[in-house]
Amino acid sequence: DIVIGSTMALIGGVARMGQSVYQGMQACIAALNSVGGVHHRYVRAVVYNDDYQPFFARTNINRLCASDHTSVI
């Protein structure tokens, strides 16, 4: 699999923007996977909420790199 990592505001004051980005990202991934992925590798996303706070964003990025083994952030 190709793992795309992201951190964004999914709750809180700017959640509407983050949720829209998340929905768009999921739609693109579904479209890619419906035709066999990228070079026959399926794409999936690992997304964490950061509530638009730098500390949480940094923590999430560290987690995406260390634990989730993302291909792209």
Side-chain angles (χ1 to χ4, degrees), residues 27-51:
C28 288
I29 289 170
L32 276 172
N33 287 337
S34 72
V35 295
V38 177
H39 297 289
H40 306 290
R41 292 175 64 192
Y42 285 96
V43 179
R44 66 182 177 91
V46 177
V47 179
Y48 295 115
N49 176 57
D50 61 21
D51 201 26

Side-chain angles (χ1 to χ4, degrees), residues 19-73:
Q19 291 168 354
S20 294
V21 170
Y22 177 75
Q23 290 171 353
M25 190 166 125
Q26 292 294 16
C28 288
I29 289 170
L32 276 172
N33 287 337
S34 72
V35 295
V38 177
H39 297 289
H40 306 290
R41 292 175 64 192
Y42 285 96
V43 179
R44 66 182 177 91
V46 177
V47 179
Y48 295 115
N49 176 57
D50 61 21
D51 201 26
Y52 209 63
Q53 300 295 318
F55 173 80
F56 296 130
R58 185 180 74 195
T59 301
N60 292 345
I61 292 295
N62 289 338
R63 183 176 174 189
L64 288 165
C65 293
S67 302
D68 298 311
H69 309 291
T70 53
S71 306
V72 177
I73 296 177

